[in-house]
């Protein structure tokens, strides 16, 4: 995790695989990133985890009993709350070559074949973590801008009300309002 990352910017990485050895391997490769790693042993568990907390990324095995990776990905992309979470599909080398196409068609951001190169996986995951942090930063900036815009609108409405009043305007109050509007404009 980068030095500037705050607790708010940390998001888990959801590891979805029905095989314990694969989950252990993923944790070994990604543990050095110092981000929360959350396990799910099925598509159903993955969906429950996604509805409970925010994730920066999902690493999703294609072949699982019950709800397979494709169905899980479709469900992830169908929900407003989870549709923007990137998915990297993981599949065995012997799997159908059409799986990659199907994975991308269901909304995968990337597709890796097992056994994967640990350095490549870590690099790809790091890119998605950085994107997550940048998006969170942008969300905070937009939220502050929205608050600032509302404050400015409130001040302008108060100024308009005073100018529209039948009574002569209070110049001291008008000057104070203009000063506050200038302050808000300068802050933006």
């Amino acid at each position: 995790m980068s030095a500037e990352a705050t607790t708010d910017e940390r998001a888990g990485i959801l590891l979805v695989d029905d095989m314990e050895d694969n989950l252990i391997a993923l944790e070994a490769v990604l543990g050095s990133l110092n981000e929360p790693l959350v396990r799910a042993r099925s598509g159903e568990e993955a969906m429950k985890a996604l509805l409970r907390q925010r994730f920066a990324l999902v690493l999703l095995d294609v072949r699982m009993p019950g709800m397979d990776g494709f169905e899980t990905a479709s469900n992830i992309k169908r929900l407003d709350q989870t549709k923007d979470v990137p998915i990297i599909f993981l599949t065995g080398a012997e799997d159908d070559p059409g799986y990659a196409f199907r994975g991308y068609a269901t909304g995968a951001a990337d597709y890796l074949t097992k056994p994967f190169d640990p350095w490549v996986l870590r690099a790809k995951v790091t890119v998605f973590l950085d994107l997550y942090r940048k998006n969170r930063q942008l969300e905070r900036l937009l939220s502050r801008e929205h608050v600032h815009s509302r404050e400015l609108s409130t001040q302008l409405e108060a100024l308009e009300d005073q100018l529209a009043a039948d009574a002569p305007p209070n110049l001291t109050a008008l000057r104070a309002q203009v000063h506050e509007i200038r302050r808000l404009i300068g802050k933006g």
Side-chain angles (χ1 to χ4, degrees), residues 16 40-48 60 64-65 67-68 72:
V16 187
R41 301 279 311 242
S42 68
E44 293 85 357
E45 277 184 39
M47 293 307 300
K48 288 177 186 174
L60 182 59
M64 295 183 294
M67 188 188 308
D68 69 10
T72 303

Side-chain angles (χ1 to χ4, degrees), residues 48-62:
K48 288 177 186 174
L50 283 158
L51 294 173
R52 280 193 304 267
Q53 80 179 75
R54 194 171 190 166
F55 288 95
L57 174 67
V58 176
L59 297 176
L60 182 59
D61 184 32
V62 168

Side-chain angles (χ1 to χ4, degrees), residues 1-12:
M1 185 172 72
S2 60
E4 73 274 0
T6 66
T7 305
D8 186 42
E9 292 169 328
R10 287 182 52 140

Side-chain angles (χ1 to χ4, degrees), residues 113-175:
T113 305
K114 296 182 226 173
F116 49 81
D117 181 328
W119 298 103
V120 170
L121 177 63
R122 197 175 303 115
K124 288 176 183 275
V125 167
T126 299
V127 167
F128 286 107
L129 290 172
D130 289 344
L131 284 171
Y132 174 82
R133 288 187 196 104
K134 298 285 185 214
N135 283 334
R136 295 287 293 157
Q137 184 180 21
L138 183 58
E139 287 171 9
R140 284 191 304 276
L141 288 171
L142 288 172
S143 177
R144 280 196 296 261
E145 186 63 29
H146 185 69
V147 167
H148 179 259
S149 177
R150 280 196 319 249
E151 289 174 357
L152 189 54
S153 290
T154 300
Q155 288 295 323
L156 284 171
E157 285 174 21
L159 182 60
E160 288 170 344
D161 288 346
Q162 265 220 340
L163 291 172
D166 290 335
N170 176 337
L171 292 180
T172 305
L174 284 176
R175 283 189 189 106

